[in-house]
């Protein structure tokens, strides 16, 4: 809808500048077209830069955590880069064939020890429009339910370890 306002303002400005005779009516229509065009461009820029009309929504899910290694109480990790960036491999079901993994590029991962239960808490942050008017105004720019980040928090009981895996295992 904001694009329609931008085009309408540009057409109004251009047509009033070209086809109208000098006078107060011309100045009013030119000013109105200019305000509509510039205002639309400013709103589009604000929507792309500070997500005008959107709010962040957190969705948290907690899953029971089972060992990544059969016969041990361990969570596997793979070191990437030279910093504390790691990929953690975890299972939420003992019958799970393929291990799930964290993504260090989309969020943070925290390990909390001496918990009462083994569990992983996954918090997914998305941006949604504040109301229907904002969605209608900006729906052709930034999509609704835009992904922001996904944070992982592992709660491990005492006795559980972190084991490093080779680069080839995934």
């Amino acid at each position: 809808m904001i694009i329609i306002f931008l085009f309408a303002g540009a057409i109004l400005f251009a047509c009033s500048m070209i086809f109208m005779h000098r006078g107060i009516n011309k100045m009013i229509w030119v000013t109105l077209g200019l305000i509509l065009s510039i205002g639309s461009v400013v709103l589009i820029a604000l929507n792309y830069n500070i997500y005008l009309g959107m709010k962040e929504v957190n969705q948290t899910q907690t899953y029971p955590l089972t060992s990544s290694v059969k016969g041990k109480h361990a969570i596997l990790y793979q070191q990437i880069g030279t910093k504390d960036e790691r990929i953690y491999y975890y299972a939420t079901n003992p019958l799970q064939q393929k291990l799930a993994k964290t993504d260090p590029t989309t969020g943070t991962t925290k390990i909390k020890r001496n918990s009462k239960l083994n569990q992983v808490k996954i918090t997914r942050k998305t941006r949604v429009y504040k109301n229907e008017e904002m969605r209608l105004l900006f729906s052709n720019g930034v999509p609704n339910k835009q992904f922001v980040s996904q944070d992982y928090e592992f709660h491990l009981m005492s006795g559980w370890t972190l084991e490093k895996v080779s680069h080839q295992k995934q």
Side-chain angles (χ1 to χ4, degrees):
M1 183 66 93
I2 194 75
I3 300 295
I4 294 171
F5 288 148
L6 176 63
F7 285 132
I11 290 172
L12 182 64
F13 174 77
C15 288
S16 60
M17 282 293 287
I18 295 170
F19 298 117
M20 291 186 79
H21 296 290
R22 288 185 189 188
I24 192 76
N25 284 340
K26 179 178 182 173
M27 291 180 70
I28 291 172
W29 286 107
V30 166
T31 305
L32 185 65
L34 195 59
I35 290 172
L36 193 58
S37 296
I38 292 173
S40 297
V41 169
V42 168
L43 289 176
I44 290 170
L46 288 174
N47 182 251
Y48 276 110
N49 291 322
I50 63 167
Y51 303 101
L52 180 72
M54 298 187 94
K55 63 181 178 180
E56 278 193 8
V57 175
N58 293 334
Q59 180 183 9
T60 303
Q61 294 179 323
T62 304
Y63 299 102
L65 194 60
T66 61
S67 180
S68 301
V69 182
K70 295 196 186 305
K72 290 185 179 180
H73 296 294
I75 299 293
L76 297 174
Y77 74 90
Q78 180 180 358
Q79 187 74 35
I80 58 172
T82 57
K83 298 181 181 177
D84 286 339
E85 295 173 340
R86 293 177 174 178
I87 298 174
Y88 291 92
Y89 297 93
Y90 64 96
T92 57
N93 184 346
L95 302 175
Q96 188 173 336
Q97 295 294 323
K98 187 175 181 182
L99 295 176
K101 65 181 181 176
T102 62
D103 187 359
T105 60
T106 61
T108 60
T109 303
K110 295 179 185 175
I111 305 288
K112 294 195 176 184
R113 304 250 182 202
N114 297 328
S115 178
K116 294 179 181 172
L117 293 171
N118 288 322
Q119 60 187 13
V120 60
K121 183 166 66 167
I122 302 172
T123 304
R124 183 177 174 88
K125 294 179 186 174
T126 55
R127 284 190 192 98
V128 296
Y129 288 106
K130 290 179 182 176
N131 51 37
E132 188 63 23
E133 290 81 18
M134 289 296 163
R135 188 198 64 77
L136 184 63
L137 189 62
F138 294 114
S139 63
N140 58 348
V142 178
N144 200 15
K145 293 189 178 179
Q146 181 184 25
F147 175 76
V148 176
S149 68
Q150 186 161 315
D151 301 323
Y152 299 89
E153 190 173 301
F154 290 95
H155 296 271
L156 302 177
M157 294 186 336
S158 60
W160 278 62
T161 60
L162 298 174
E163 289 190 14
K164 189 173 184 176
V165 296
S166 65
H167 189 64
Q168 287 77 23
K169 181 166 183 162
Q170 291 186 13

